[in-house]
Amino acid sequence: MKNISKDKAIELLNEDGSNLSDLSDKFKKDRDIVIAAVQNNGASLEYADDSLKGDKEIVSIAASNDGSAIEFADSSLKKDKEFILEIVQDNGSALQFADDDLKKDKDVVMPAVQNDGSSLQDAHEELKKNKDVVMLAVQNDGSSLQYAHENLKKDKDIVMAAVENYNDALKHADESLKKDQDVLNLINE
């Protein structure tokens, strides 16, 4: 797709943002073109010129469409606490591609698990031992109990919150709680 106009390129991207991969480098460096692509398909950030992968507005649009688009962002944005915090509040799964230091930061992980409990799997091991973090995760998605530290799988409050949200979470609980009458009563309600 070499000899097409900018308007035609935008039209193609409005249909399918992944068409960015087939456009010339000239278009991959064009901010308007890349915005059109990521508005339709956040993961099309992968095909943008590197010079635009550090553009907060573009990456934010891409991540709001698809949290995994953070994977293709410039590393400086993956380390930017305020930026990542803004992203994970709307799309907790983006935590997966944040800088490792931010995965240790309770201020970043809490809103991520509040938005998407399963993002607990991407939190640092120390935070998987934190009762507040795990409680918020299982209240959002009971199945996220599977990512909690073993000690919290023995915690009756955590297990009850998980099971209340998702009955099958019981399979991730410690054996000592799988026959607990209070837990079983929750399932049978």
Side-chain angles (χ1 to χ4, degrees):
M1 288 191 232
K2 291 205 177 209
N3 296 319
I4 64 170
S5 68
K6 182 174 179 173
D7 289 340
K8 180 65 177 166
I10 289 175
E11 191 179 308
L12 279 169
L13 296 170
N14 286 336
E15 291 174 21
D16 182 357
S18 67
N19 283 327
L20 184 61
S21 66
D22 299 326
L23 296 179
S24 70
D25 288 347
K26 172 182 90 170
F27 287 133
K28 293 176 184 178
K29 292 177 183 178
D30 185 302
R31 194 169 191 281
D32 296 331
I33 295 283
V34 172
I35 286 174
V38 299
Q39 282 176 326
N40 177 274
N41 178 343
S44 65
L45 181 63
E46 175 181 8
Y47 308 114
D49 187 76
D50 286 346
S51 65
L52 296 176
K53 292 180 179 181
D55 183 309
K56 284 185 178 183
E57 181 183 7
I58 290 174
V59 176
S60 183
I61 292 168
S64 69
N65 183 289
D66 179 353
S68 67
I70 292 294
E71 176 182 5
F72 307 112
D74 186 80
S75 62
S76 65
L77 291 182
K78 294 178 185 182
K79 295 176 182 182
D80 183 328
K81 180 177 177 174
E82 279 69 39
F83 181 74
I84 293 297
L85 187 55
E86 181 183 313
I87 299 299
V88 299
Q89 287 173 340
D90 293 328
N91 198 325
S93 67
L95 182 64
Q96 175 182 1
F97 300 106
D99 186 75
D100 286 344
D101 285 341
L102 295 179
K103 293 177 183 181
K104 297 175 185 176
D105 189 324
K106 186 176 177 182
D107 294 337
V108 173
V109 173
M110 289 289 279
V113 299
Q114 184 173 18
N115 175 272
D116 179 355
S118 69
S119 65
L120 181 62
Q121 68 186 310
D122 301 308
H124 187 271
E125 292 304 313
E126 283 303 309
L127 290 178
K128 293 178 183 181
K129 296 176 185 177
N130 183 294
K131 187 170 181 172
D132 294 334
V133 172
V134 173
M135 181 63 81
L136 197 56
V138 300
Q139 287 172 337
N140 176 276
D141 177 358
S143 70
S144 64
L145 180 62
Q146 66 187 304
Y147 307 117
H149 186 271
E150 294 305 313
N151 288 344
L152 290 179
K153 293 179 182 182
K154 297 175 186 176
D155 184 296
K156 188 171 178 175
D157 294 333
I158 294 284
V159 171
M160 287 187 67
V163 168
E164 188 171 18
N165 182 283
Y166 178 64
N167 286 349
D168 284 350
L170 186 59
K171 69 184 175 190
H172 303 296
D174 185 75
E175 289 300 319
S176 64
L177 291 174
K178 288 184 178 177
K179 292 186 170 91
D180 182 279
Q181 197 56 53
D182 295 329
V183 175
L184 294 173
N185 287 343
L186 261 181
I187 292 174
N188 295 324
E189 284 181 357

